[in-house]
Amino acid sequence: MQTRAREGHVEMKALIALLALAAPLALATEEPVRLDTAHIDPRDLASLQAGARTFVNYCLNCHSAGVMRYSKLLDLGLSEQQVKDNLLFTAEKTGELMNISMTKKDAKDWFGTVPPDLSVIARARGADWLYAYLRSFYRDPDSPSGWNNMVFERVAMPHVLWTLSGQQVQVERRFASEEQAEAAGRQQKSVWKVDELGADQAGKDGARYVLKTLETRTAGTLSQIEYDILVRDLVNYMTWMAEPNQVTRKQTGYVVMLALLALLVLTYLLYKEFWKDVH
């Protein structure tokens, strides 16, 4: 029995050591791109309305939102007639779901993969990820679509907003140390990442840290600030769409926490009253 206990103890130590070694490896495989913060506000109705317009005009051609109904857009301060006139392109009634006419077979033939449903993509990816992703497309002649993305390498999706944003290219700069590369990256206004080259790829100068950034070569119809605002509004809408009742949920949560706190105080006072004569 002692021998088995000792063996089990050794196995447990080995498991703990393996997990300790695996943790930094897991961190090292995380997405190296530095994401920008998406300053969204699900209470901003003007932003949500603008985002809904962009979503319907640019996203809803290939992507569906199969658990979202057009009638829910009335919660954004829009009338039913406004929804019908400006946002109802893939359905006839506001009570219908936001589906598209493209079949999965056609999508597979045209894009090589089926575009995902975007109903809850903001909850799956996060607002910051979406904000960075939609601002990180760049021209790539080796890609089937002619586009690539700094956040999602070799993405099948083409850049549908390129006429608005313009065309970007990826620019690489080499540095001798990771600190120098990251210091230069923090001065960028868009996403960036640092890749480390092997010793045989560093070259004679020993510069093995590559800072990858984006640079606009062909301007779009919007300025950089205008495009960032458009993307922010789109991400704001997609975040709201993933959970339309999130504002009410959070407000209700605050009320519940205050009620529980009040009950805690009353419970403590009652406890003191019951036990005041017990010695």
Side-chain angles (χ1 to χ4, degrees), residues 2-262:
Q2 292 181 353
T3 303
R4 290 184 179 179
R6 190 179 302 109
E7 290 177 353
H9 186 63
V10 172
E11 291 177 357
M12 182 59 68
K13 281 187 174 181
L15 179 59
I16 293 174
L18 181 61
L19 292 175
L21 291 173
L25 291 177
L27 292 174
T29 59
E30 289 181 356
E31 180 58 58
V33 175
R34 272 59 172 185
L35 303 179
D36 298 329
T37 301
H39 299 285
I40 61 173
D41 183 0
R43 299 167 299 180
D44 187 345
L45 294 183
S47 172
L48 293 173
Q49 291 173 7
R53 180 178 64 246
T54 303
F55 180 82
V56 168
N57 282 282
Y58 290 93
C59 303
L60 205 56
N61 298 307
C62 301
H63 296 274
S64 61
V67 299
M68 183 71 177
R69 296 186 184 276
Y70 287 95
S71 58
K72 197 64 178 176
L73 298 176
L74 301 180
D75 294 350
L76 303 182
L78 299 171
S79 66
E80 185 171 357
Q81 192 60 45
Q82 287 176 320
V83 172
K84 289 181 179 179
D85 293 342
N86 303 293
L87 301 174
L88 196 63
F89 301 140
T90 63
E92 296 181 358
K93 299 179 180 179
T94 56
E96 296 183 38
L97 297 171
M98 288 185 168
N99 291 318
I100 57 175
S101 59
M102 182 175 63
T103 65
K104 292 184 178 181
K105 182 181 181 302
D106 289 339
K108 185 72 174 179
D109 294 339
W110 297 338
F111 301 110
T113 185
V114 179
D117 186 280
L118 299 181
S119 300
V120 294
I121 192 68
R123 298 195 69 176
R125 290 290 191 176
D128 292 348
W129 191 94
L130 288 175
Y131 182 65
Y133 169 74
L134 292 170
R135 296 164 55 250
S136 301
F137 281 93
Y138 64 91
R139 276 296 184 184
D140 184 357
D142 298 327
S143 171
S145 67
W147 294 97
N148 207 334
N149 192 283
M150 190 102 102
V151 176
F152 193 156
E153 289 289 343
R154 296 181 294 277
V155 65
M157 173 181 163
H159 187 20
V160 297
L161 300 174
W162 73 270
T163 57
L164 305 177
S165 68
Q167 302 183 52
Q168 299 183 120
V169 295
Q170 190 177 76
V171 179
E172 297 184 358
R173 296 166 56 193
R174 294 194 177 190
F175 295 85
S177 69
E178 186 176 8
E179 291 74 15
Q180 292 176 340
E182 290 187 350
R186 294 190 190 98
Q187 299 176 6
Q188 303 299 314
K189 296 182 179 180
S190 59
V191 298
W192 55 277
K193 67 177 179 179
V194 176
D195 289 342
E196 182 179 0
L197 302 176
D200 57 332
Q201 300 174 306
K204 296 181 180 180
D205 57 357
R208 56 186 299 186
Y209 295 94
V210 181
L211 171 64
K212 295 183 178 181
T213 58
L214 296 175
E215 180 180 296
T216 301
R217 291 292 172 83
T218 304
T221 56
L222 300 180
S223 67
Q224 185 63 57
I225 295 178
E226 290 172 335
Y227 181 71
D228 288 348
I229 293 174
L230 179 138
V231 172
R232 182 211 54 196
D233 292 341
L234 174 58
V235 173
N236 195 22
Y237 168 75
M238 295 174 71
T239 303
W240 172 85
M241 179 175 64
E243 188 184 358
N245 297 324
Q246 59 183 283
V247 174
T248 303
R249 172 178 60 80
K250 292 178 181 179
Q251 292 174 344
T252 303
Y254 294 140
V255 174
V256 170
M257 292 301 294
L258 289 174
L260 291 175
L261 182 60

